[in-house]
Amino acid sequence: MYQRIAVIGSGISSLSFMKRLLKICSESSTNKQQHIGEFMINNNTTASSLILDTPLQITCFEKAKGIGGRMATRRVQNNLKSNIESTNTTLNEGLIEEKEETHFLDHGAQYFTCQNPTFQNEVNQWIKNGIVKEWKDEVIALYENGEIKVKSKYGSLQQVELENNFPERFISVKNGMNFICKQVKQEIEKINSQFCNVKFEMEKRVKSLQKEKNGQWRIQFDNLEYYNDLFDFVIFSCPPEQTVEILQNSSNNLLETFNLKSKIKEIKMAPCWALLLVFNKPLKQSTIKAAAFTNNSKIISWIANQNAKATSVQNVTKLTENNGDNISGNKKTQQLVGQSWVIHASAEWSTENLEKSPKEIQEILYNEFLTILSTIEKKSKEELLGNENYCSYIQAHRWRYAIPKQNNFSKDNDIINKKDIKKETITSSVNENNNSSNNMELFINFEEGIGCIGDWTQQGRVEGAFMSGYYLANKLSSLYPAICFTLKRNKQNRKTELTSTAIPLFKHLIPSDLRSKAQ
């Protein structure tokens, strides 16, 4: 096992990696120094193997304020005030009812599916622990000819396509998809011990890696400062373009070395513009109950009614007099008044409009959203809004690296879903034939001590990201004997030889008194 590991990025792939590796280490008795014993190699040579007492330290560097990557949730406060008639005869004026709603908008991954048995086991545990639930709402597809089809196991429409073929979709039980990442982080913190530990360094943007003489890596940030600790292995859990940028800035011609096998320079991610909306009242439409794939638009590919997730919003109410004095002072959960939506633009349109300002994007996507609803509901935009309804929150978010492009891999290594890139969203599931171990071999370089994880190393999506981290943790843990070393003494020439499967990486771990004996 590597003694010090750096992880760049804190998405679900890195969280999966850290949790799995810590769990393996915490359960393994080999964290303690052991003497395996002396044994004969041949008539002239004896060997003595030891396992070093090397506590595992993982440091996760995240450029943002919070964890989760594209499993992101925007928390929006929506304060609503309305005059109500007072039933208190001692009051001459009416009361003002204040509704303070907290909307949780998933502007990244909307849901996830699972095909891999290992990931399914994890999801089952999340369900048992009250972290995720199956999303049992109706998801539909809209077509240019006006046709509407159900794309889920659940729905009231008649046009159900091969219902049994639709995968189960899962969402967070509360507070949006980012809640899942926060819960995994809590699980990691519970596993922390004297033999294995993880710490998070937030708002730290990594610029480059510098190779030290002992083979370890030193990390430099974009402010040109260096991190105090050195690392035996560095794992990139960020998009390939950002990984390439860091490798390009690093020493040892690292990019070209790593690119020989992984072809990482050729891997590209498609962007996605997202629009977040909160209305003070529900829109007057009945077609999109939960979400829709919009094949009838060249601009928008996905529309989701965030209210359909039910537990993703909270509502508290208090009553005050018109003069501002508090009457009730009580807060209680009530039925939601406002309505929140998330819209994803298509990958093709997002690419063409990538550098437009958020304000321009807001206007375009908002108008297209209302146009789609107007068409299917056969209502004007004014009729959709209704009386006294308005958009209280609107924000465009640019995902510069959202989904793996379909031409990332050669024919011999085709691990990307062949779905039309134009209609791709960051909502779809991974391919059923998930072979993480074969794919991941391309993105690990043990000689240099670097590796990559993330959805783009697989078929994409949440499951692919999770399994990439899980696989790399298993791979590194299987290399634990690499830090064991063997002292061999040849009886004929009386020489003591020090051997290891990865001496350049681990020589600094060998006690100096034993290292000096080796020739």
Side-chain angles (χ1 to χ4, degrees):
M1 184 66 66
Y2 298 88
Q3 187 181 26
R4 291 186 179 276
I5 297 176
V7 180
I8 303 173
S10 65
I12 193 64
S13 61
S14 63
L15 293 171
S16 168
F17 166 79
M18 291 184 283
K19 178 186 173 182
R20 177 61 180 166
L21 193 57
L22 259 67
K23 189 173 182 181
I24 292 172
C25 291
S26 64
E27 294 174 351
S28 174
S29 61
T30 57
N31 286 297
K32 299 179 181 179
Q33 184 167 312
Q34 299 177 29
H35 184 271
I36 301 298
E38 197 170 271
F39 54 92
M40 295 294 296
I41 292 182
N42 53 45
N43 291 334
N44 296 317
T45 307
T46 60
S48 180
S49 296
L50 294 92
I51 297 179
L52 302 177
D53 183 7
T54 54
L56 174 67
Q57 173 67 58
I58 304 176
T59 305
C60 180
F61 299 97
E62 171 56 54
K63 60 184 175 65
K65 292 181 179 180
I67 65 168
R70 279 165 286 156
M71 289 185 71
T73 303
R74 183 74 54 82
R75 178 174 177 158
V76 178
Q77 291 293 135
N78 192 32
N79 298 317
L80 306 171
K81 292 184 179 182
S82 60
N83 291 313
I84 62 174
E85 205 172 294
S86 175
T87 57
N88 190 335
T89 56
T90 62
L91 296 175
N92 295 324
E93 298 180 359
L95 299 178
I96 295 177
E97 185 179 41
E98 296 184 53
K99 297 182 181 296
E100 301 172 357
E101 298 180 345
T102 303
H103 292 255
F104 295 93
L105 288 79
D106 294 322
H107 54 298
Q110 301 289 289
Y111 61 85
F112 65 87
T113 62
C114 55
Q115 306 287 340
N116 187 290
T118 299
F119 186 52
Q120 182 68 66
N121 290 337
E122 186 75 13
V123 172
N124 291 340
Q125 193 62 44
W126 287 346
I127 294 172
K128 183 179 178 181
N129 294 340
I131 299 173
V132 305
K133 64 180 180 180
E134 185 182 359
W135 194 15
K136 295 184 177 181
D137 291 298
E138 180 182 83
V139 178
I140 62 175
L142 306 175
Y143 295 91
E144 292 182 0
N145 61 2
E147 190 176 11
I148 301 174
K149 295 183 179 180
V150 173
K151 292 292 183 178
S152 61
K153 294 164 61 178
Y154 309 95
S156 58
L157 294 175
Q158 296 300 314
Q159 303 96 322
V160 177
E161 292 182 336
L162 301 174
E163 182 175 305
N164 293 332
N165 286 347
F166 292 117
E168 293 178 328
R169 296 181 173 98
F170 297 93
I171 58 174
S172 168
V173 166
K174 63 179 181 179
N175 298 359
M177 295 292 283
N178 190 252
F179 175 74
I180 301 171
C181 297
K182 290 177 179 176
Q183 293 303 301
V184 176
K185 181 175 180 285
Q186 286 185 17
E187 292 176 22
I188 290 171
E189 290 167 345
K190 289 179 182 177
I191 302 174
N192 277 348
S193 69
Q194 60 175 322
F195 293 117
C196 45
N197 183 268
V198 169
K199 63 178 178 178
F200 290 83
E201 295 283 355
M202 308 307 293
E203 297 184 82
K204 297 287 187 182
R205 184 186 291 270
V206 175
K207 176 182 175 62
S208 67
L209 309 177
Q210 305 301 324
K211 195 84 163 183
E212 298 295 306
K213 291 182 179 179
N214 64 357
Q216 289 181 291
W217 291 108
R218 184 180 295 280
I219 287 181
Q220 185 184 40
F221 303 115
D222 59 352
N223 62 1
L224 303 184
E225 292 182 357
Y226 287 93
Y227 193 66
N228 292 332
D229 294 333
L230 300 177
F231 297 95
D232 305 307
F233 205 96
V234 177
I235 295 168
F236 294 89
S237 176
C238 45
E241 290 90 342
Q242 293 177 343
T243 301
V244 165
E245 184 180 349
I246 295 173
L247 293 174
Q248 217 158 16
N249 295 334
S250 302
S251 62
N252 255 33
N253 199 25
L254 192 55
L255 176 58
E256 295 308 317
T257 301
F258 190 66
N259 191 61
L260 286 176
K261 182 170 67 170
S262 68
K263 305 297 182 186
I264 191 173
K265 289 196 292 187
E266 300 173 15
I267 299 175
K268 304 298 178 185
M269 301 282 282
C272 176
W273 273 107
L275 184 67
L276 295 76
L277 300 171
V278 178
F279 294 91
N280 71 321
K281 291 181 180 180
L283 298 178
K284 295 184 180 299
Q285 66 87 35
S286 59
T287 305
I288 303 178
K289 295 178 176 62
F293 294 99
T294 52
N295 299 292
N296 59 342
S297 172
K298 295 181 179 180
I299 298 176
I300 293 175
S301 62
W302 170 262
I303 294 174
N305 180 351
Q306 298 294 288
N307 290 39
K309 296 182 177 181
T311 52
S312 65
V313 292
Q314 296 174 339
N315 182 288
V316 295
T317 303
K318 66 179 180 179
L319 298 179
T320 60
E321 293 185 54
N322 278 337
N323 62 10
D325 292 339
N326 188 10
I327 296 294
S328 66
N330 296 322
K331 293 186 176 182
K332 57 182 179 179
T333 301
Q334 292 190 336
Q335 186 177 359
L336 181 66
V337 175
Q339 189 177 63
S340 54
W341 296 81
V342 168
I343 291 94
H344 283 166
S346 69
E348 186 178 77
W349 188 88
S350 296
T351 301
E352 293 171 356
N353 297 272
L354 187 60
E355 301 306 331
K356 276 193 166 82
S357 70
K359 190 173 181 180
E360 290 177 286
I361 297 298
Q362 287 173 20
E363 184 177 353
I364 296 171
L365 293 184
Y366 179 76
N367 287 329
E368 179 70 5
F369 167 61
L370 292 182
T371 298
I372 291 172
L373 291 183
S374 296
T375 301
I376 60 177
E377 294 288 334
K378 296 181 172 55
K379 293 180 180 179
S380 67
K381 294 179 181 179
E382 291 73 22
E383 289 175 320
L384 283 172
L385 289 170
N387 295 329
E388 298 181 359
N389 195 7
Y390 58 90
C391 185
S392 59
Y393 179 87
I394 180 169
Q395 183 70 50
H397 180 89
R398 176 173 48 205
W399 293 106
R400 191 174 289 275
Y401 310 112
I403 52 176
K405 288 187 176 181
Q406 64 181 20
N407 59 348
N408 277 338
F409 296 87
S410 66
K411 214 169 189 181
D412 295 331
N413 189 34
D414 189 8
I415 59 175
I416 297 299
N417 200 324
K418 289 297 186 183
K419 187 177 178 182
D420 181 10
I421 191 69
K422 178 180 176 181
K423 290 301 177 185
E424 283 272 20
T425 71
I426 42 182
T427 58
S428 306
S429 67
V430 297
N431 189 295
E432 184 174 358
N433 301 316
N434 188 350
N435 192 349
S436 298
S437 58
N438 290 340
N439 302 332
M440 281 301 300
E441 294 290 350
L442 295 172
F443 305 103
I444 307 173
N445 188 321
F446 291 111
E447 293 179 2
E448 290 289 350
I450 57 173
C452 296
I453 54 178
D455 65 330
W456 56 273
T457 66
Q458 305 298 302
Q459 294 94 333
R461 315 304 174 248
V462 173
E463 182 178 24
F466 182 92
M467 290 309 302
S468 71
Y470 189 95
Y471 167 73
L472 184 55
N474 284 345
K475 188 69 175 177
L476 290 187
S477 66
S478 70
L479 291 182
Y480 190 90
I483 76 163
C484 302
F485 61 93
T486 302
L487 287 174
K488 298 180 181 178
R489 184 169 180 80
N490 190 299
K491 293 180 181 179
Q492 288 183 341
N493 58 24
R494 297 183 180 180
K495 284 186 177 181
T496 301
E497 298 175 355
L498 182 63
T499 63
S500 168
T501 56
I503 281 293
L505 283 177
F506 303 112
K507 194 171 182 179
H508 63 282
L509 299 180
I510 301 171
S512 57
D513 58 331
L514 291 175
R515 192 187 311 141
S516 63
K517 295 178 182 179
Q519 295 183 9

